[in-house]
Every structure is written in structure tokens, then in C-alpha cells.
Amino acid sequence: DGGITQSPKYLFRKEGQNVTLSCEQNLNHDAMYWYRQDPGQGLRLIYYSQIVNDFQKGDIAEGYSVSREKKESFPLTVTSAQKNPTAFYLCASSVNDRGETQYFGPGTRLLVL
Amino acid sequence: GENVEQHPSTLSVQEGDSAVIKCTYSDSASNYFPWYKQELGKGPQLIIDIRSNVGEKKDQRIAVTLNKTAKHFSLHITETQPEDSAVYFCAASRGPVTGGFKTIFGAGTRLFVKA
């Protein structure tokens, strides 16, 4: 069963804590993306990766970090430097990064305690 | 900077009526325009897309039109059903072959279909 999975579905962060959101895809896609969605707003790009061991900052990368050690995996770390992390985080992938269709995971909702 | 404006932000229709959502983009290099449907608590799902060399595309009750000169594209849903109720996002995209990766999403339209 091919697709994109994200875990956990809900995540709670304490002040000063780093947390990592998981994203895995078995679609053999080269490109992967992380977006942030705030209530009533569109999607804003945090980071994207065109290929393994390479990634680029998006529009709102401050306070976040990523890695792309494997083609299937693109974890996102929300660091303590991100002062307003409460949001819905969406991971996506596409065959390549030439404007092709992005397929989204189910999302992770991050809440601050 | 580049942006995509989407209207209306909320749309309420009676079951069986048509719904139209409009988007305007600013980046003239955009060449791919997908539409996504997002249900509550889930990730967006692609419902239809159109490329810049096509003016219209239809898939059953859903159609998309593109006017490149005016830089706007629209989603048309006919014979709406309660299960069409969701948030719809448009996006305008271009890949690095035309100057650097970029996909910009509209702010979304919340569609309510009343039974």
C-alpha cells in the first residue's frame, strides 16, 4: 500500500524542548517537502529536499531543521528557537521538483504545553 | 513577492447547485495549477490539475479553467453533494527549469453544501 505516513498524529512540546516529526514515503519520489498550516490559512513552505543529502530552506525555515539521509525519510525537528510552533504540519512528496503534483501525508498537529 | 489570491474564503451552496472558486496568481512563470481538497484533520488530496498549455480540464463533476493572459484559474463543481463540503486550496507552481522551485498556495475556500 503506497503512500506518505506521518507520525505522531498529535505531539505535545514543552517549552525549551526540541521535537521531531516523522515523514516516510514509499512512492519512490525524489522530492519531499514540509509545510506549516495555521488555522484558516494556506500552506507555507518550511523546507524542501530535491534529492537525498540535499535540502533547501523555504519561506519560514527559522526555528526548524531537517535531514534527508534516506530517500524515503524526511524528518522535521521543531527547535526551541521556534517561538510559536503550534500548528498543523504537513509533509508532501513529488516525483521530482519540476512543478509536479505533490502528494500529502495526513499531518501532525503540534501543541505547546 | 509572488502570491496567489483565492476567493471566496467561505462559500455556502444548496445541494445540487454549482460552486465556483477563483484564484489569481502573480508569477508569470507558473506553469502547473493543482487543486486540493482538505477534509477536517486530514492532509490535502489532489482533485484536479491543469497545465499552462491547456485552457480547460474536466473530470466528472469537477472542472478547472485557466486564463494565462489574465493569470487566473477557477474550480467549478457541479451538482454539489454534502460530501463535497471541505476546504479547497488552489496552487500555482513552477519548477527549477523556469527559474527555481516554487509552489504557492491560496489561503483556501471553506465550502459548505447544505442538504
Side-chain angles (χ1 to χ4, degrees):
Chain A
D1 189 24
I4 304 175
T5 57
Q6 291 185 240
S7 62
K9 189 173 176 69
Y10 296 95
L11 186 57
F12 298 91
R13 193 191 92 162
K14 295 179 181 178
E15 202 159 328
Q17 187 181 41
N18 292 355
V19 292
T20 297
L21 286 62
S22 169
C23 178
E24 304 277 332
Q25 54 97 1
N26 61 4
L27 300 167
N28 200 33
H29 287 173
D30 282 326
M32 296 186 74
Y33 316 82
W34 274 106
Y35 291 91
R36 171 179 171 140
Q37 185 176 32
D38 292 285
Q41 296 188 31
L43 284 66
R44 292 185 291 167
L45 183 66
I46 304 173
Y47 268 99
Y48 69 100
S49 168
Q50 298 168 297
I51 201 165
V52 175
N53 292 321
D54 182 67
F55 49 82
Q56 315 292 330
K57 290 184 179 179
D59 299 319
I60 55 166
E62 187 174 347
Y64 300 97
S65 66
V66 293
S67 63
R68 186 85 188 277
E69 296 176 3
K70 298 187 297 183
K71 188 175 186 177
E72 314 83 64
S73 179
F74 191 39
L76 173 75
T77 296
V78 184
T79 74
S80 57
Q82 173 49 244
K83 298 307 179 188
N84 183 24
T86 297
F88 191 47
Y89 290 87
L90 288 160
C91 178
S93 71
S94 62
V95 171
N96 54 48
D97 63 346
R98 299 189 200 99
E100 294 295 328
T101 303
Q102 294 183 27
Y103 296 91
F104 286 85
T108 292
R109 187 164 299 280
L110 177 61
L111 300 165
V112 177
L113 295 177
Chain B
E2 297 105 349
N3 72 319
V4 174
E5 293 189 1
Q6 184 172 346
H7 298 281
S9 57
T10 305
L11 178 60
S12 184
V13 300
Q14 202 68 37
E15 182 178 2
D17 289 349
S18 295
V20 181
I21 302 170
K22 299 181 179 181
C23 288
T24 303
Y25 62 99
S26 60
D27 184 356
S28 56
S30 297
N31 55 13
Y32 174 63
F33 307 90
W35 283 90
Y36 290 88
K37 175 184 180 182
Q38 185 177 27
E39 296 178 346
L40 192 63
K42 297 183 179 180
Q45 300 295 310
L46 179 77
I47 55 171
I48 196 166
D49 56 10
I50 192 167
R51 297 193 183 273
S52 58
N53 58 347
V54 176
E56 184 174 356
K57 184 177 178 180
K58 190 173 181 180
D59 182 3
Q60 298 183 346
R61 296 186 297 110
I62 295 172
V64 57
T65 58
L66 171 64
N67 183 330
K68 279 210 73 180
T69 304
K71 292 184 194 169
H72 66 148
F73 55 114
S74 300
L75 177 72
H76 305 253
I77 305 174
T78 59
E79 301 171 27
T80 53
Q81 301 166 4
E83 50 266 37
D84 293 330
S85 297
V87 178
Y88 292 81
F89 291 97
C90 64
S93 179
R94 61 168 164 83
V97 294
T98 53
F101 162 80
K102 200 73 173 180
T103 295
I104 301 176
F105 288 82
T109 295
R110 186 171 295 278
L111 174 64
F112 296 96
V113 180
K114 296 176 286 186

